[in-house]
């Protein structure tokens, strides 16, 4: 044993230095978040700064309390025990190093286990990380000074009860349950499973000749025959895909002239963990040989980023033959979505050979990337073009709330991260603004988040009342939503498939008018949704 457990007085000082460190760290976290916005040229009035600080003290503090207490509970008694065996002059530096090192290791562990690359936003920068570590060290120094007189004393049995008191400071995190929009009366539907055993399928495409293509995120392209049979072997000749976390093979889209050109377009993550991109390639599909030929990379996002989150990856063709590709903000790089020198957090528009259309909004603008069509996006995973109304529509993931449905206009700024209805996963505010001059508001937002993924425009005969409606899949929401566009924006008409309780990754309308869905799972499924008919052949609804 290093020494007996600390006395009860030690734990009393432990508690209040813990609280001091958490409160100071919360205020520092807030200021670093606001500083990132200021560096984009955004002015933040003092009233907004104070309101944001107050919000974070109420909402971020409990999360950081649990995180910091977990390391402080181990590091400080350990430092106390070690210091009793060393000379007194080593006590204070030992406490400071133990607290800072403990917090750093805790952040590393949390970031490795959490779905997002960096949980505490302030620690994205070296300055922010060092500030948090210095506060931890400061709290530990104060604790060392206050408890120096009891460093060498033995611990009595009665004090052992006090040793457990700080555990009361480790409340369980409360996760807000998803509040679902009110569902309209249920429609009688028939849901059939066509294919099982797809590994995290991401995108579905119908070929004019009848078969279907499905991408699997680990980097495989699969063929489903017209009889519903899954070809056992994946299609060969794919580009090298970086598959990790959210990174992998994304969209597959046949060229508008596929019947003549046999060309398809693939979006995917390329590179390695410390330097990766969203890439777009075109290739010729040889169905007789089940392989791709003439593979050519036509676009690679700039700059390279570290981590494996937020790639976007949806592709859609416009009436003029150009295509639009969605790009994510890379999660830790959210401010890049406001910089026109970066593709991160943008939609880009290209010709099928990768060249830039002359009428792109930023062509000829100094310091701007000519491929950019719109910017200020977080992670666009739904993209559809309504040729009847000549409008491009997208939806994107917000953080904790603030998912958005947007009507895309060339050259428009959609606000992220200056504007959002959501907050960070820790409860901290990302920005004090929910609207801002010069930034386009969404048609619809989902708060709490449903994590929308897959977007389709219904144009078919099976669901006559759904003509022109949008179909939105949901990952976190585990449902399908039917959304109607209105003069004022958009509204949720119906929530479907909640009983399925599966993450929906992609939504497509088939040539037969049925709705086809991909579920996101290690053994994902391809589903077909159609009206249910009674014995007389009439729809049951």
């Amino acid at each position: 044993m290093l020494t007996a457990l600390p006395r009860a007085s030690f734990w009393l000082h432990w508690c209040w230095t813990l609280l001091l460190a958490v409160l100071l760290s919360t205020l520092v976290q807030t200021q670093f978040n606001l500083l990132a916005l200021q560096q984009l040229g955004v002015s933040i009035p003092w009233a907004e700064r104070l309101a944001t600080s107050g919000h974070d003290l109420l909402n971020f503090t409990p999360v950081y309390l649990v995180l910091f207490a977990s390391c402080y509970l181990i590091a400080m008694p350990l430092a106390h025990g070690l210091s009793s065996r060393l000379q007194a002059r080593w006590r204070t530096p030992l406490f400071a190093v133990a607290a800072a090192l403990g917090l750093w290791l805790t952040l590393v562990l949390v970031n490795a286990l959490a779905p997002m690359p960096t949980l505490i936003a302030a620690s994205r920068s070296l300055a922010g990380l060092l500030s948090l570590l210095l506060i931890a060290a400061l709290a530990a120094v104060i604790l060392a000074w206050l408890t120096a007189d009891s460093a060498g004393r033995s611990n009595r049995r009665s004090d052992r009860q006090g040793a457990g008191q700080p555990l009361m400071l480790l409340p369980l995190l409360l996760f807000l349950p998803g509040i679902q929009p009110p569902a309209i009366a249920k429609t009688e539907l028939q849901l059939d499973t066509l294919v099982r055993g797809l590994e995290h399928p991401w995108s579905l495409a119908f070929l004019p000749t009848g078969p279907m293509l499905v991408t699997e995120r680990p980097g495989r392209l699969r063929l489903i025959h017209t009889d519903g049979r899954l070809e056992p072997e994946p299609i060969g000749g794919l580009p090298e895909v970086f598959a990790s976390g959210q990174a992998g093979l994304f969209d597959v889209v046949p060229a508008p002239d596929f019947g003549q050109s046999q060309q398809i377009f693939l979006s995917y993550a390329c590179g390695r963990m410390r330097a990766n991109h969203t890439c777009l390639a075109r290739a010729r599909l040889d169905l007789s040989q089940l392989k791709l030929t003439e593979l050519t990379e036509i676009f690679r996002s700039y700059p390279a980023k570290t981590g494996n989150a937020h790639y976007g990856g949806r592709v859609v063709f416009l009436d003029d033959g150009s295509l639009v590709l969605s790009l994510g903000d890379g999660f830790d790089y959210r401010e890049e979505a406001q910089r026109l020198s970066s593709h991160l957090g943008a939609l880009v528009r290209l010709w099928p050979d990768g060249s830039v259309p002359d009428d792109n909004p930023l062509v000829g603008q100094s310091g701007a990337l000519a491929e950019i069509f719109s910017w200020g996006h977080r992670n666009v995973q739904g993209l559809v073009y309504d040729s009847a109304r000549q409008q491009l529509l997208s939806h994107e993931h917000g953080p904790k709330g603030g998912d958005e449905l947007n009507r895309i206009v060339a050259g428009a700024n959609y606000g992220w991260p200056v504007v959002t209805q959501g907050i960070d996963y820790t409860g901290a505010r990302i920005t004090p603004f929910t609207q801002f001059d010069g930034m386009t508001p969404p048609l619809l937002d989902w708060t709490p988040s449903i994590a929308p993924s897959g977007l389709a425009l219904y144009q078919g005969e099976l669901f006559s009342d759904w003509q022109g409606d949008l179909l939105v899949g949901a990952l976190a929401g585990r449902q399908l939503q039917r959304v109607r566009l209105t003069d004022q924006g958009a509204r949720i008409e119906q929530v479907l498939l909640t009983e399925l309780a599966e993450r929906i990754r992609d939504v497509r309308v088939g040539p037969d008018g049925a709705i086809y869905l991909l579920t996101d799972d290690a053994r994902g499924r391809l589903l077909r949704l159609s009206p249910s008919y009674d014995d007389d052949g009439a729809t049951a609804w």
Side-chain angles (χ1 to χ4, degrees), residues 227 266 302 374 379:
D227 60 3
L266 294 168
Y302 173 85
S374 65
N379 191 25

Side-chain angles (χ1 to χ4, degrees), residues 223-521:
L223 178 71
I224 300 174
H225 295 276
T226 52
D227 60 3
R229 177 173 52 89
L230 175 67
E231 180 67 31
E233 294 299 321
I235 293 171
L238 266 70
E240 184 176 351
V241 172
F242 168 58
S244 173
Q246 296 176 8
L249 182 60
F250 305 132
D251 221 349
V252 54
V253 177
D257 65 346
F258 177 85
Q260 293 75 43
S261 69
Q262 305 299 300
Q263 280 189 344
I264 65 169
F265 291 77
L266 294 168
S267 61
Y268 54 99
C270 57
R272 60 190 189 280
M273 180 64 77
R274 298 193 64 82
N276 57 78
H277 317 257
T278 301
C279 287
L280 181 65
R282 65 175 180 176
R284 190 179 301 275
L285 174 61
D286 185 342
L287 286 174
S288 64
Q289 300 293 321
L290 287 180
K291 68 177 183 180
L292 301 181
T293 63
E294 302 175 29
L295 179 72
T296 305
E297 180 186 301
I298 63 171
F299 175 80
R300 178 175 290 224
S301 63
Y302 173 85
K305 67 176 187 63
T306 299
N308 57 7
H310 288 197
Y311 291 86
R314 290 292 179 188
V315 179
V316 69
F317 277 90
L318 306 182
D319 280 341
D320 62 0
S322 65
L323 62 86
V324 174
L325 167 68
S326 72
L327 301 168
D329 68 346
F331 193 90
D332 279 347
Y333 304 84
R334 62 195 186 202
E335 289 79 20
E336 292 294 301
Q338 287 296 318
R339 296 189 174 105
L340 299 181
S341 58
S342 169
H343 289 128
L344 298 181
L347 299 183
V348 296
R349 176 171 170 253
L350 308 164
W351 291 120
D353 63 0
S355 60
V356 177
D358 292 338
D359 59 347
N360 266 10
L362 302 181
V363 169
Q365 181 171 324
S366 178
L369 295 173
E371 297 91 350
I372 293 176
F373 191 67
S374 65
W375 64 95
H377 302 286
R378 186 170 183 264
N379 191 25
V380 175
Q381 295 212 333
L383 201 57
V384 68
Y385 182 67
D386 182 352
S387 58
R389 299 177 228 189
Q390 293 190 320
Q391 60 181 357
L392 179 63
L393 299 159
S394 75
H395 64 51
E396 64 187 78
H397 288 223
K400 194 174 181 181
D403 300 339
E404 294 182 359
L405 174 67
N406 287 301
R407 180 183 288 113
I408 302 300
V409 176
N413 181 350
Y414 290 84
W416 175 258
V418 178
V419 173
T420 182
Q421 295 285 343
I423 58 174
D424 212 342
Y425 299 104
T426 59
R429 269 191 181 174
I430 294 163
T431 173
F433 306 110
T434 56
Q435 57 184 7
F436 202 85
D437 289 345
M439 297 182 179
T440 304
L443 300 175
L444 176 70
D445 78 86
W446 290 272
T447 300
S449 172
I450 64 167
S453 185
L455 178 65
L457 176 70
Y458 189 79
Q459 293 173 320
E461 297 181 357
L462 290 185
F463 299 93
S464 56
D465 292 342
W466 295 9
Q467 287 295 326
D469 287 351
L470 298 174
L471 301 170
V472 179
L475 295 167
R478 297 174 183 262
Q479 60 190 227
L480 177 69
Q481 291 193 6
R482 180 164 64 91
V483 174
R484 179 155 296 174
L485 299 174
T486 67
D487 293 338
Q488 293 74 37
R491 67 171 181 267
I492 299 167
E493 288 289 297
Q494 198 167 13
V495 178
L496 304 161
L497 305 183
T498 54
E499 68 281 1
L500 186 65
E502 292 188 52
R503 290 162 54 90
I504 296 176
R505 171 61 74 179
D506 200 13
V507 185
R508 305 284 175 169
V509 178
D512 57 356
I515 298 164
Y516 292 77
L517 310 164
L518 291 175
T519 64
D520 179 36
D521 190 78

